[in-house]
Amino acid sequence: MSYKNLNWNGIRPINNSLNDGFEEFVCQLAKQEIIPESQYFTRKGKPDAGVECFWTLTSGNEIAWQAKFFLSSLDEVQWRQIDDSVSTALDKHPKLIKLFIAIPLDPPDARIPKRKTMLDKWNDHVAKWEKRAIFLGRSVQFEAWWSSDLITRLQKPNNAGFLYFWFNKEEFTDEWFERQNKLAIADLGTRYTPELNLELDISKIFDGLSRNSYFESCIERLQNDISIYKLIDKLSAERLEYDLASLDAPIKNIEAIFYKYNPMGLDTFPVSEYQSQLEIIKEQIEHIMDLIDPNYRNYSIREQLRKCFREINAGIEFITSPVMALANNPYLLLSGEAGCGKSHLFGDVVAKRIEAGYLSLFLLGTYFGSNDDPFQQLCKHCDAKCGIDEFLCALNTKAQTCQHRIIIFIDAANEGNGKTIWKGYINSFICRLKKYEWLGL
């Protein structure tokens, strides 16, 4: 695809909307930006409080983006829409120090006497916005991302797959994934019987691999179930003289962990840090239990202590389980004797992911029939009209757009030519995948 002939009307729609597609496109480019002292990135939903996304800096200040899908010289209505967004951003984001406004056109600047060009109007509006910021007691910079600025970012070598995804509407649609997966499930034949819908304990490990809504609910329970807060209130109300101050620091540290952690995103859960804080609390609870007079008759206090102790142990068990390990590192090798149900399990997990709206790419070992690089065989099987890295980058971009991991499932890797190719390729296969943070295997 030629960058010079790039047609913004050809951008991939999201929710059947080119405007939503452009907003997501801008957010993904913004996330790639190298921002000094950046701490974390936030993608806004709707309503967006004047910005689509923003980087929070270590200072607490914010650099934000607003996207406007305008394809021709701006009229008064469109300028008013931009003014409204800027005003809202200034009001709702008091830490804002810079706002980028992305518009997929380049402003005419003919410099005809007594006629303001679009670039002139832009500069006038910037002056007005800066004045408004000063009135609010702040200094905010305003900068445009015009079409040429967007294309410059697309031209980076690592963005070939990004471009392929956003301007190739035929592949990587939800229907494309569903079609690929249903064909693979059909090829399982008798190895997959949908009527045998058994809830096996092992299927829970895929919740962590997927970081799905069930995994999110587990994190919420982990955050809410530990009744240490109720316990402290109870001990304080009973005026029991125990050193409750020793619990302040670990409780605040746990609250900070959950404040920063997004279970549906890509954040790594700090298992060791969280476990160490729970162990401190656990030790203090044991100490309080030892100090309670055996003749003390308030059994509710004792039961609250025991309950909190059990919840802490359950929390430690969950964060040290394979579910959390796969949430942090989404690479799983499942082995077992022939005929024990691995293929049925994979087929069942993929089918349920389709029903739940999660994307997968399901492949069978028989699809890898030559000695070629398995990624080449994968692209060929999917009839992808691009190179390997473009294909993986496009998959990664699709996953980021959906805000959930895409999992590649390969069933019966020892079939086809698997016993030959995987010995030579498995390590490089995984290393190559790890470049794409929204993919799991």
Side-chain angles (χ1 to χ4, degrees):
M1 179 180 294
S2 170
Y3 293 99
K4 293 180 180 179
N5 299 325
L6 192 146
N7 178 6
W8 290 105
N9 272 315
I11 198 167
R12 184 185 293 265
I14 302 295
N15 302 321
N16 295 316
S17 166
L18 293 178
N19 185 70
D20 286 359
F22 182 67
E23 287 181 5
E24 179 61 33
F25 168 84
V26 169
C27 288
Q28 292 188 17
L29 278 183
K31 193 173 188 298
Q32 293 181 16
E33 287 291 288
I34 299 173
I35 307 292
E37 299 183 1
S38 59
Q39 191 170 25
Y40 56 88
F41 182 80
T42 302
R43 171 71 167 100
K44 301 290 286 291
K46 295 182 185 295
D48 58 21
V51 304
E52 320 297 350
C53 58
F54 61 93
W55 276 103
T56 301
L57 310 183
T58 52
S59 62
N61 291 330
E62 296 171 356
I63 296 177
W65 282 257
Q66 173 61 233
K68 296 297 182 186
F69 191 62
F70 302 147
L71 296 175
S72 58
S73 194
L74 276 58
D75 59 28
E76 290 304 314
V77 173
Q78 291 168 327
W79 279 117
R80 200 175 305 122
Q81 288 179 30
I82 298 175
D83 283 340
D84 289 345
S85 292
V86 171
S87 181
T88 303
L90 289 172
D91 290 341
K92 301 292 186 180
H93 289 263
K95 295 288 187 179
L96 183 68
I97 60 170
K98 190 168 188 176
L99 177 62
F100 291 95
I101 301 172
I103 305 173
L105 57 87
D106 286 315
D109 187 27
R111 305 196 179 191
I112 299 172
K114 298 182 180 180
R115 185 185 298 177
K116 283 196 172 184
T117 66
M118 183 176 163
L119 190 58
D120 291 329
K121 292 178 182 179
W122 167 264
N123 291 330
D124 288 347
H125 280 267
V126 167
K128 181 173 67 174
W129 301 332
E130 289 174 342
K131 198 172 182 180
R132 162 80 172 151
I134 291 170
F135 175 78
L136 295 172
R138 292 147 58 195
S139 175
V140 181
Q141 293 179 277
F142 300 92
E143 189 173 321
W145 268 11
W146 302 114
S147 177
S148 54
D149 299 310
L150 296 169
I151 289 173
T152 296
R153 285 164 173 79
L154 282 175
Q155 286 176 318
K156 294 178 181 178
N158 62 334
N159 271 340
F162 186 82
L163 175 72
Y164 187 80
F165 173 80
W166 279 110
F167 293 91
N168 176 7
K169 299 178 184 178
E170 287 74 32
E171 296 172 45
F172 308 108
T173 63
D174 292 355
E175 294 76 19
W176 181 88
F177 281 94
E178 187 171 346
R179 184 170 60 253
Q180 299 283 348
N181 293 329
K182 285 187 174 179
L183 288 172
I185 288 173
D187 286 341
L188 283 176
T190 57
R191 287 183 289 179
Y192 175 57
T193 308
E195 293 76 16
L196 296 177
N197 187 15
L198 303 177
E199 290 294 336
L200 304 176
D201 285 342
I202 194 172
S203 65
K204 290 182 173 60
I205 63 175
F206 293 98
D207 296 324
L209 188 68
S210 305
R211 290 179 83 139
N212 57 19
S213 55
Y214 180 77
F215 175 75
E216 183 181 26
S217 70
C218 289
I219 295 296
E220 288 176 355
R221 285 199 299 273
L222 193 66
Q223 183 177 6
N224 298 326
D225 282 359
I226 294 176
S227 54
I228 186 68
Y229 307 102
K230 296 176 185 175
L231 176 63
I232 290 176
D233 290 342
K234 192 83 172 173
L235 291 171
S236 300
E238 293 290 329
R239 302 181 185 278
L240 298 178
E241 299 298 327
Y242 301 120
D243 183 16
L244 301 181
S246 61
L247 295 171
D248 288 347
I251 287 174
K252 286 179 180 176
N253 290 337
I254 285 175
E255 288 173 340
I257 287 171
F258 283 114
Y259 178 75
K260 295 177 184 177
Y261 182 70
N262 176 14
M264 299 297 278
L266 298 175
D267 301 343
T268 298
F269 189 87
V271 172
S272 297
E273 181 185 348
Y274 182 74
Q275 183 175 356
S276 68
Q277 300 307 311
L278 287 185
E279 295 288 0
I280 292 171
I281 294 173
K282 189 174 165 182
E283 184 179 324
Q284 292 303 315
I285 290 174
E286 288 180 314
H287 180 60
I288 292 171
M289 290 174 75
D290 289 341
L291 291 175
I292 288 182
D293 189 331
N295 298 318
Y296 183 64
R297 293 188 175 183
N298 191 333
Y299 296 105
S300 66
I301 288 287
R302 295 174 183 275
E303 182 52 35
Q304 193 77 35
L305 286 163
R306 294 190 188 98
K307 181 184 177 191
C308 193
F309 202 82
R310 291 193 298 269
E311 288 167 350
I312 288 174
N313 283 332
I316 292 173
E317 183 179 356
F318 177 75
I319 64 169
T320 55
S321 71
V323 175
M324 183 60 80
L326 287 165
N328 283 347
N329 189 38
Y331 299 91
L332 169 67
L333 176 64
L334 187 67
S335 62
E337 296 296 326
C340 70
K342 299 184 301 298
S343 296
H344 176 87
L345 176 64
F346 271 27
D348 200 46
V349 169
V350 171
K352 287 177 179 175
R353 282 174 61 82
I354 293 173
E355 290 176 12
Y358 295 110
L359 299 179
S360 315
L361 189 56
F362 190 25
L363 305 158
L364 306 189
T366 51
Y367 296 168
F368 299 88
S370 72
N371 290 324
D372 295 336
D373 182 329
F375 273 125
Q376 290 180 352
Q377 297 186 66
L378 187 158
C379 290
K380 184 177 179 180
H381 173 77
C382 293
D383 198 26
K385 301 173 181 63
C386 59
I388 296 169
D389 285 316
E390 284 178 293
F391 181 83
L392 293 175
C393 182
L395 274 183
N396 193 69
T397 305
K398 173 68 174 180
Q400 188 177 347
T401 301
C402 299
Q403 287 294 291
H404 68 251
R405 280 179 182 153
I406 290 176
I407 310 299
I408 299 173
F409 291 84
I410 303 176
D411 180 56
N414 58 323
E415 293 184 359
N417 205 33
K419 290 182 179 179
T420 302
I421 60 168
W422 291 115
K423 286 181 182 178
Y425 280 105
I426 187 65
N427 290 328
S428 61
F429 191 90
I430 292 173
C431 285
R432 202 164 193 172
L433 265 186
K434 284 190 173 182
K435 288 167 52 182
Y436 303 97
E437 56 186 357
W438 286 93
L439 304 183
L441 176 67

